[in-house]
């Protein structure tokens, strides 16, 4: 029977809050399946349009043979998201991260496809690969699942990629979206303009990954030769915490774009506040060393995680980072969703 119900890829195209999913561990650094499922339930109940799993926030070490968590983590998230969709009727886009050279990236995409994922976020961190090699890898992965391109900041392993690369990637039929996260205004504008020159420009959604200026990206119209372009949504580590207010923020951005002056003023006031909060979560003062632990600490305080443990015992909060998290949570009450989490936590942990 025909239906007008949107598909997960429709959700991606229209724009959504997509958290980069963390990894829930026990004190002995084993997978905490109950809390891993609880995180997925939290994100989707909080208004996220999907989840991104096996990405940086999930910890790349899940792929190491001695850890062996890539498949279990992908499987848990896919199953839990499917259960949430069945209960709510709201489709959720399931995105799997894929890493490495072509053979590894294709194998990870095939695993994700077998588990019901909708798209692949393709890491650009491939030592020695030139731009043509990265495009060939994207074509190969795109034969398995739709691809989300990824411009990653150099501070965490990214590299410069030319406008011609982004135009060529956008023209590949399998490219569904591009996550723009160079943490650089010049390079962000480069990608938007380059995609606008592609023949498939209208079919490629733009997502901000610039956690340092989320609101700025979402509010900015780019007038190009191909017409006005906006960022559709965000695929962000920052949105792995305080996700319900993030969904409210994206709704306010849409009101502002439509001409709501009060919504625009709220968004403009919250722009530097969210950047300040991200500085605490991502440990900018510590050179991003406590980035994942900062996400974990917010979730631990809410009861969603039992601790801040990472697969690498050396990965922890930086000195003063916990105090910074306390400061921003108190300074910006709109940012937190502690009451929402408290109300639903027992159900998510069932």
């Amino acid at each position: 029977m025909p239906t007008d119900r949107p598909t997960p890829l429709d959700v991606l195209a229209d724009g959504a809050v997509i958290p980069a999913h963390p990894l829930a561990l026990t004190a002995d650094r084993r997978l905490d399946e109950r809390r891993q499922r609880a995180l997925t339930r939290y994100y989707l109940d909080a208004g996220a349009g999907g989840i991104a799993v096996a990405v940086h926030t999930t910890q790349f070490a899940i792929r190491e043979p001695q850890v062996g968590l890539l498949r279990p983590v992908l499987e848990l998230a896919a199953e839990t998201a499917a259960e949430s969709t069945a209960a709510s009727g709201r489709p959720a886009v399931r995105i799997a991260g894929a890493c490495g050279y072509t053979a590894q990236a294709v194998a990870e995409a095939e695993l994700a496809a077998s588990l019901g994922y909708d798209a692949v976020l393709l890491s650009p961190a491939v030592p020695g690969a030139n731009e043509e090699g990265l495009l060939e890898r994207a074509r190969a992965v795109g034969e398995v699942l739709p691809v989300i391109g990824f411009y990653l900041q150099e501070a965490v392993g990214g590299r410069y990629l030319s406008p011609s690369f982004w135009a060529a990637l956008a023209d590949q039929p399998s490219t569904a979206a591009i996550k723009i996260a160079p943490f650089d205004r010049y390079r962000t504008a480069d990608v938007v303009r380059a995609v606008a020159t592609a023949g498939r420009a209208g079919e490629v959604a733009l997502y901000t990954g610039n956690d340092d200026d989320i609101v700025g990206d979402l509010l900015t119209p780019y007038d190009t030769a191909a017409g006005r372009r906006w960022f559709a949504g965000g695929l962000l580590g920052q949105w792995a915490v305080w996700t319900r207010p993030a969904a409210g923020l994206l709704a306010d951005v849409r009101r502002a774009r439509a001409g709501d002056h009060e919504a625009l003023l709220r968004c403009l006031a919250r722009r530097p506040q969210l950047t300040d909060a991200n500085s605490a979560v991502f440990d900018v003062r510590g050179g991003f060393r406590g980035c994942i632990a900062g996400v974990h600490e917010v979730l631990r305080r809410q009861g969603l995680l039992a601790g801040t443990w990472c697969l690498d015992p050396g990965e922890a909060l930086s000195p003063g980072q916990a105090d910074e998290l306390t400061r921003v949570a108190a300074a910006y009450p709109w940012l937190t969703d502690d009451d929402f989490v408290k109300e639903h936590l027992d159900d998510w942990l069932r």
Side-chain angles (χ1 to χ4, degrees):
M1 178 180 296
T3 176
D4 293 329
R5 179 177 171 179
T7 69
L9 289 179
D10 290 333
V11 173
L12 181 68
D14 290 343
V17 166
I18 302 178
H21 205 303
L23 179 67
L25 296 175
T26 61
D28 59 357
R29 293 183 166 80
R30 296 181 183 276
L31 179 62
D32 187 335
E33 293 191 10
R34 184 169 69 112
R35 292 185 182 275
Q36 191 73 18
R37 287 188 185 274
L39 286 174
T40 305
R41 291 170 180 146
Y42 159 56
Y43 294 134
L44 297 181
D45 284 358
I51 49 173
V53 191
V55 294
H56 174 254
T57 311
T58 325
Q59 303 177 51
F60 290 132
I62 61 174
R63 294 167 169 81
E64 295 176 2
Q66 66 271 28
V67 175
L69 287 180
L70 178 60
R71 184 185 185 96
V73 168
L74 286 171
E75 200 162 26
L76 277 174
E79 289 176 356
T80 309
E83 291 167 3
S84 176
T85 293
S88 68
R90 296 189 303 272
V93 59
R94 291 174 285 186
I95 299 165
C99 297
Y101 294 96
T102 301
Q104 178 184 342
V106 169
E108 292 185 7
E110 289 172 343
L111 171 61
S114 74
L115 296 173
Y117 280 79
D118 304 294
V120 168
L121 178 66
L122 197 51
S123 170
V126 185
N130 60 22
E131 291 187 353
E132 186 53 42
L134 293 177
L135 290 169
E136 288 297 331
R137 184 181 67 140
R139 289 188 192 98
V141 171
E143 293 178 2
V144 181
L145 279 175
V147 167
I148 300 173
F150 187 5
Y151 202 175
L152 177 65
Q153 63 160 319
E154 292 184 25
V156 291
R159 54 178 283 192
Y160 171 76
L161 292 165
S162 70
S164 60
F165 169 85
W166 295 110
L169 181 66
D171 264 334
Q172 291 188 3
S174 59
T175 301
I178 294 174
K179 172 180 174 174
I180 306 175
F183 283 43
D184 183 303
R185 295 294 92 198
Y186 301 111
R187 294 184 182 182
T188 296
D190 278 349
V191 181
V192 178
R193 288 194 298 266
V195 170
T197 68
R200 297 185 62 254
E203 301 173 59
V204 178
L206 301 178
Y207 271 72
T208 179
N210 288 318
D211 303 75
D212 63 334
D213 195 11
I214 296 167
V215 178
D217 274 351
L218 293 172
L219 277 180
T220 300
Y222 286 84
D223 289 321
T224 72
R228 176 163 287 188
R229 292 300 307 265
W230 301 87
F231 280 85
L235 198 168
L236 297 155
Q238 175 63 39
W239 282 354
V241 299
W242 302 317
T243 308
R244 189 166 178 81
L249 176 65
L250 182 58
D252 240 9
V253 165
R254 287 172 171 158
R255 294 185 193 101
R257 290 179 183 175
D260 185 326
H261 183 67
E262 291 301 319
L264 176 61
L265 291 178
R266 280 194 302 273
C267 291
L268 290 173
R270 290 173 176 178
R271 178 181 181 181
Q273 296 173 3
L274 185 54
T275 297
D276 186 23
N278 179 257
S279 176
V281 175
F282 274 25
D283 187 30
V284 172
R285 292 182 183 178
F288 299 97
R289 286 186 298 275
C291 173
I292 294 175
V295 169
H296 287 190
E297 175 62 10
V298 174
L299 298 171
R300 184 199 66 79
R301 293 181 184 191
Q302 293 181 311
L304 283 156
L305 291 182
T308 62
W309 308 293
C310 296
L311 290 170
D312 178 358
E315 200 162 353
L317 292 172
S318 289
Q321 190 179 359
D323 291 338
E324 278 293 284
L325 290 170
T326 299
R327 177 186 66 80
V328 297
Y332 314 126
W334 70 269
L335 180 69
T336 67
D337 57 3
D338 294 357
D339 290 342
F340 173 72
V341 173
K342 184 177 180 180
E343 179 183 353
H344 297 283
L345 184 59
D346 287 344
D347 186 47
W348 297 330
L349 287 168
R350 67 185 184 275

